[in-house]
Amino acid sequence: MMADPTYRGIALDAETALALLQWQAELGADEPCLDDPLDRYDLPDRVPAGPAAAKPAPLPPRDAGRDLVAMAETIAAAATTLAALAEAQEAFEAIELRKGARNFCFADGRPGARVMVIGEAPGEEEDLQGRPFVGRAGQLLDRMFGAIGLARDAVDADKALYITNVLPWRPPGNRRPEAAEIALMLPFLRRHIELAQPEILVLMGNTPCIAGLNRQGILKLRGVWDTAFGLPALPMTHPAYLLRTPIAKREAWSDLLSLAARLEVGEKP
Ligand code: URA
């Protein structure tokens, strides 16, 4: 029989060990750790193994926030296709979140769809799969839009969705994105929208409202049509909020009907 595991020299029965592990996972500690803290932000950057790995390119200093945004703008503007933009954004090293995430999450659905949904940032499941909105909130999102006949896998652009997030990297422990992180990814998001060419944007929660409207307070903003990135934009409550607050689904339904009506009015013959 196997001996019970130990924690710092103290024997743990399997049930206690499992409970401790679950508790840590709930706090966002989803990687095994060392006994002594390791500053992962201080590690050398990820580079391919081999001779080319010897000298990683130095990053600009941390306080060069505005320079970094300018750099992001130049890089994003140079991309002329969605594939090129995805490649350039994934390779953009100046965002610290990149170091702690497993996978880059660019977009899902059909580019060219009339409706583009913008969320906040990947969560745990999205980070694992490298696709936005594939966890519980994403499943609710699919059901919500399905109720008005829109789906990310629809072949017809009129019935399709294109989905992305303000941040393509998961923030540690699903914490709220910081203003500097939003500002740094904004040039990529702006270019993403230009290249995907939607007719209408749906801003899911506060973070895309900050990015697109420079405003927050989603419970006031929701359901009121506005303009973001030069397009009609509808702020809606985030499906993760709706999972926690089912009573708010009624308002979300009314927002979906408003979107459906707008799509119908703009319907091409
Ligand atoms: N929440 C978001 O805002 N985006 C995702 O991709 C998943 C959860």
Side-chain angles (χ1 to χ4, degrees), residues 105 118-123 126 131-135 137-138 163-165 204 238-240:
C105 248
I118 305 175
E120 178 173 291
E126 291 76 19
R131 283 169 62 211
F133 281 107
V134 289
I163 302 176
T164 191
N165 283 309
M204 280 293 184
H238 195 285

Side-chain angles (χ1 to χ4, degrees), residues 47-260:
V47 283
K55 262 200 183 167
L59 286 179
R62 275 181 188 220
D63 58 1
R66 248 178 302 159
D67 292 352
L68 294 180
V69 173
M71 192 199 292
E73 270 161 11
T74 307
I75 293 171
T80 53
T81 63
L82 286 168
L85 183 69
E87 198 181 320
Q89 190 174 15
E90 184 171 11
F92 186 70
E93 292 188 357
I95 177 131
E96 298 272 333
L97 291 176
R98 182 178 185 270
K99 297 181 184 162
R102 284 193 184 86
N103 282 300
F104 173 67
C105 248
F106 184 65
D108 199 18
R110 189 190 188 293
R114 291 180 75 192
V115 178
M116 180 166 179
V117 177
I118 305 175
E120 178 173 291
E124 185 177 14
E125 198 52 42
E126 291 76 19
D127 183 43
L128 282 173
Q129 295 192 33
R131 283 169 62 211
F133 281 107
V134 289
R136 276 185 72 221
Q139 287 157 21
L140 176 57
L141 180 143
D142 285 339
R143 289 198 298 276
M144 287 163 63
F145 285 95
I148 56 164
L150 301 179
R152 60 176 107 190
D153 56 2
V155 185
D156 179 354
D158 284 355
K159 304 272 175 249
L161 285 177
Y162 185 63
I163 302 176
T164 191
N165 283 309
V166 175
L167 301 184
W169 305 105
R170 181 191 183 198
N174 297 340
R175 67 154 168 76
R176 284 252 173 87
E178 291 170 5
E181 292 163 348
I182 297 174
L184 197 50
M185 290 295 98
L186 198 52
F188 292 101
L189 179 62
R190 204 176 283 123
R191 187 74 184 128
H192 200 157
I193 295 165
E194 281 168 11
L195 292 170
Q197 296 189 313
E199 247 174 67
I200 286 175
L201 301 175
V202 175
L203 309 174
M204 280 293 184
N206 265 322
T207 300
C209 288
I210 294 170
L213 305 174
N214 202 18
R215 291 169 70 196
Q216 57 183 319
I218 189 63
L219 295 181
K220 291 228 169 81
L221 295 173
R222 62 138 284 275
V224 182
W225 284 91
D226 209 319
T227 303
F229 306 101
L231 293 171
L234 180 64
M236 286 186 63
T237 43
H238 195 285
Y241 172 79
L242 298 176
L243 286 171
R244 293 192 304 271
T245 322
I247 194 144
K249 285 184 183 168
R250 195 165 27 163
E251 287 161 348
W253 176 236
S254 123
D255 299 345
L256 285 168
L257 292 179
S258 167
L259 172 64

